[in-house]
Amino acid sequence: MRIGELAARAGVSVRSLRYYEEQGLLTSVRSASGQRHYAEYHVERVTFLQRMYAAGLSSRTIAELLPCVDSPSEATSDAALERMAEERDRLSEHIEDLIRTREALDRLMATNRAHRAALKSSLTG
């Protein structure tokens, strides 16, 4: 299938597919005229890539995990598990940072509400 059909079937843009190829995450066969052609299994591959991106993984991290998908073995599985654990730890740290930021914003909002209540009270009182 050509790039437009793969994009439509996988629910992504043609631009995304080109990006995946640039990053080494997807391969195609080129026709004599230079058109990209893909096999049926590429639909599943693109869907998998989309899930990895949705999980917050970068192209580089996804590329590091692909050997486990493409050539499953104990070694690639162990490497993938270790890399995923690192990513999970990174995400956990980011979540903790976001929680601290939200708590700081909550404190600012409480201060603002108290200030507004004091202003309102002084104007009506």
Side-chain angles (χ1 to χ4, degrees), residues 23-36:
Q23 299 302 308
L25 306 175
L26 186 67
T27 58
S28 64
V29 175
R30 297 287 184 128
S31 69
S33 63
Q35 292 181 331
R36 293 173 170 93

Side-chain angles (χ1 to χ4, degrees), residues 33-74:
S33 63
Q35 292 181 331
R36 293 173 170 93
H37 290 275
Y38 299 92
E40 186 65 32
Y41 71 88
H42 284 109
V43 175
E44 186 177 322
R45 174 69 162 225
V46 171
T47 302
F48 172 78
L49 295 173
Q50 287 295 106
R51 286 195 312 264
M52 296 296 99
Y53 280 113
L57 302 180
S58 67
S59 296
R60 183 172 45 174
T61 300
I62 294 169
E64 291 174 16
L65 297 175
L66 285 179
C68 183
V69 174
D70 296 336
S71 305
S73 70
E74 190 173 331

Side-chain angles (χ1 to χ4, degrees), residues 55-57 86-96:
L57 302 180
E86 290 170 5
E87 280 301 305
R88 187 180 189 290
D89 290 345
R90 182 189 65 77
L91 289 171
S92 293
E93 287 177 25
H94 185 62
I95 290 167
E96 290 169 10

Side-chain angles (χ1 to χ4, degrees), residues 18 20 23 29 31 43 73 106-107 110 115-116 124:
R18 289 184 182 127
Y20 297 162
Q23 299 302 308
V29 175
S31 69
V43 175
S73 70
D106 286 343
R107 288 189 299 273
H115 179 70
R116 288 184 62 188
T124 59

